[in-house]
Amino acid sequence: MADYPTSPFRLYNYCTSRMTPIQSKKWLVPAAVFVALLAPTLALFAIIRTDAETRTQFDFERRTTQMTSLIKGRMDIYTNLVYAERAFFVASNVIEEEKWLDYVQMLNLPLNYYGVSAMSYIARVPRSEVAQYPYPIFPTSTKDVYYPLTHTASMVPVVASGHGFDVSSEENRWRALQEARDTGLPAGGLAPVAATTKLPTFLVFAPLYRDG
């Protein structure tokens, strides 16, 4: 039994060596056509692949730009809201819980500020004034100054029950609070909704100084 070559090129040489010159020339035609067609096909494939990669990159950049714009727009809304909240407290000589709740209700948070779950006022309470503070401050600790939630209007029950929670007791809240205090600008960060849950929320703080 004859052994036939397995390599395409050797097979080609094996076949053409057994052909007449005319048969050999006829064999070259399909091979030449194949090679001629293969080159444009490969070039077209390269063009299509490059175009697909370009389109993918363009689509990714477009979507990234859209998402960045949406996030920035939402953050601008939240920032304006904390400025409005600060203006309310600056204009109020005496802060009353009932008036504060009425003010937040007029804002209609679910409709006009979708995603906002609560608005709060955080008091600065020196240790010497803890006894006069209207709510028990928690968690219990010994420090020179506490920053408890004092006035809260919330769409989330667990936050509404957080009067007296010392914001400085939680690392991310305290970091954002200090940044707002030191820069005079709104600052934010991620933190649990309340001390009793690990559900995350995004917080924005705006400083309020004694002189307004």
Side-chain angles (χ1 to χ4, degrees):
M1 183 175 180
D3 292 331
Y4 295 101
T6 55
S7 170
F9 294 104
R10 290 182 179 177
L11 180 60
Y12 171 78
N13 293 332
Y14 175 83
C15 294
T16 54
S17 66
R18 284 161 175 75
M19 293 179 181
T20 65
I22 295 177
Q23 290 175 326
S24 180
K25 289 180 180 180
K26 289 182 178 180
W27 178 286
L28 290 173
V29 174
V33 171
F34 170 74
V35 172
L37 292 177
L38 179 61
T41 301
L42 291 175
L44 182 60
F45 172 75
I47 293 172
I48 293 175
R49 183 178 65 178
T50 301
D51 182 66
E53 292 174 350
T54 301
R55 288 176 179 271
T56 301
Q57 180 66 22
F58 174 78
D59 186 60
F60 173 78
E61 292 176 353
R62 179 177 60 83
R63 290 176 181 271
T64 300
T65 301
Q66 289 177 342
M67 290 301 298
T68 301
S69 178
L70 288 173
I71 293 173
K72 184 181 182 302
R74 181 57 57 180
M75 288 305 302
D76 287 343
I77 291 175
Y78 295 158
T79 300
N80 290 334
L81 182 59
V82 295
Y83 277 137
E85 178 182 5
R86 185 171 68 176
F88 171 86
F89 289 114
V90 170
S92 303
N93 294 325
V94 178
I95 302 173
E96 299 178 5
E97 185 77 9
E98 185 176 355
K99 289 184 177 181
W100 164 241
L101 294 176
D102 288 343
Y103 171 74
V104 175
Q105 185 176 7
M106 290 177 62
L107 293 175
N108 196 349
L109 297 181
L111 179 63
N112 299 320
Y113 300 95
Y114 178 78
V116 176
S117 60
M119 294 178 65
S120 304
Y121 171 80
I122 300 169
R124 182 182 183 276
V125 181
R127 182 167 53 182
S128 59
E129 299 177 11
V130 169
Q132 289 76 43
Y133 184 72
Y135 305 104
I137 297 177
F138 67 95
T140 303
S141 63
T142 301
K143 56 178 67 174
D144 293 332
V145 180
Y146 301 85
Y147 294 86
L149 287 177
T150 304
H151 301 287
T152 298
S154 175
M155 310 295 109
V156 182
V158 69
V159 178
S161 61
H163 291 88
F165 171 65
D166 182 14
V167 172
S168 65
S169 65
E170 198 281 317
E171 181 180 1
N172 290 342
R173 282 182 169 88
W174 180 227
R175 184 185 300 114
L177 193 63
Q178 289 181 98
E179 181 181 344
R181 179 198 64 193
D182 296 342
T183 64
L185 300 172
L190 288 173
V193 171
T196 57
T197 178
K198 293 184 178 180
L199 183 66
T201 187
F202 185 80
L203 305 167
V204 180
F205 297 94
L208 177 61
Y209 305 104
R210 291 188 184 278
D211 59 358

